[in-house]
Amino acid sequence: MSSFKKLKGMAGASMVAGAGLVGMMASSARAGVKTSWTGTDEGYLTFHDANKDWAHGFYFSGSNSSVITDIYSSISEGAIGKTASCTTSVTTFWNCYSYSDAYDGVLGLGVNGNWFDPVGADAVITDYQIDAGTNVDIDTDLDASIKWAFLKDDPVTRGLFTVTNKGAIEQSVTFQIYGNWGSDGQGGIINTSNDDQTVDSTDTWVTISDDLVDGANGDPVITTGISGEGSTVDTTVVDLDTSDYDIDYTVTIPAGESRSVVVFHQMSKSITDASAIESNYESGSALSSAGLLVGLSNTERSRVVNYALPKAAEVAARTGSSSSSSSGGSAGAALMALIAALGVSRRRRV
């Protein structure tokens, strides 16, 4: 059984509250709060904003959030709109939020029809990100890796999918980004960037809802960022409805190099709320202005082929004057100085 199908079966399972707050990374302005709890043989890891207005969930197996023996191949849950029961702790998505069951597993990866399975021992959980490790030889001379991010300032999940060509010749590779929105076939497509209800290869985003009138039936409205200005790849929507989706990206990877695709899901409480954020997914500059690229290094940004992403240093330079007048101005100036002197780098597995 695929990890995705396992998630479908587990989506409605009741989870037992166990360990409390693990910690907040105060050194980062956008650091999410991480909470975990475990049942008898499986657990749940949530990432949520400081006020618990939204949360993203991830199933894992293991004794606690720092000793993970198995994690699943896609994000398993999302919720928005906290209720009174969320004021002290995040217990379950089902009674903490007015809008839940956003996903039954999303942002999974296939490479040429071979499905990515995270390696539990290689998974690294830091701040608001899960680095799921690397599937070595997912296909001939190809390695694949996933890094999921759960943002604090917006109810957004982000998947960064990378494939490395270890061979001596370039390869044409199909990235298959798949999942299930948890709507069980209700509702439909509300809008696309082409202002219609049909998704095609020219769309940069799509918004779906279980409720075609106002979106207020208990599941979040979801906007998906597919691609944007500067994309250098062919995009094919193989399957997309209110339950399952499969969006394929055909990517040419030169010998010895890596290429990445970045995909976003953003939850909203209503169709009206969703309409206010859809344009954020039309270009790399819009993504940056909306704060949706936080945590991506310049190396990671340069590998992305479905958007042209601005460098982090360029963003810092453009916003430096306004940042210096804020309470965090000295920290921002110091960061800019470090960027200028040393560049930005992050450890990667590929």
Side-chain angles (χ1 to χ4, degrees), residues 167-183:
I169 60 173
E170 72 176 22
Q171 290 201 51
S172 178
V173 177
T174 300
F175 288 61
Q176 298 160 274
I177 311 304
Y178 70 91
N180 183 295
W181 276 300
S183 59

Side-chain angles (χ1 to χ4, degrees), residues 296-314:
L296 291 179
S297 71
N298 284 338
T299 298
E300 290 170 329
R301 294 175 189 223
S302 69
R303 292 171 175 165
V304 170
V305 292
N306 61 321
Y307 285 95
L309 300 184
K311 292 182 178 180
E314 293 173 354

Side-chain angles (χ1 to χ4, degrees), residues 82-157:
K82 71 176 180 181
T83 62
S85 61
C86 288
T87 56
T88 57
S89 66
V90 176
T91 53
T92 72
F93 285 93
W94 313 112
N95 61 18
C96 265
Y97 292 95
S98 299
Y99 306 92
S100 62
D101 193 25
Y103 323 123
D104 282 347
V106 293
L107 295 178
L109 172 66
V111 176
N112 297 337
N114 303 298
W115 305 111
F116 185 98
D117 284 312
V119 181
D122 291 344
V124 177
I125 301 172
T126 55
D127 203 355
Y128 53 87
Q129 296 194 105
I130 296 179
D131 184 338
T134 300
N135 275 192
V136 176
D137 295 326
I138 195 169
D139 202 357
T140 304
D141 290 328
L142 298 176
D143 291 350
S145 64
I146 298 178
K147 184 179 287 184
W148 291 292
F150 310 83
L151 304 191
K152 168 189 174 293
D153 291 344
D154 295 286
V156 173
T157 62

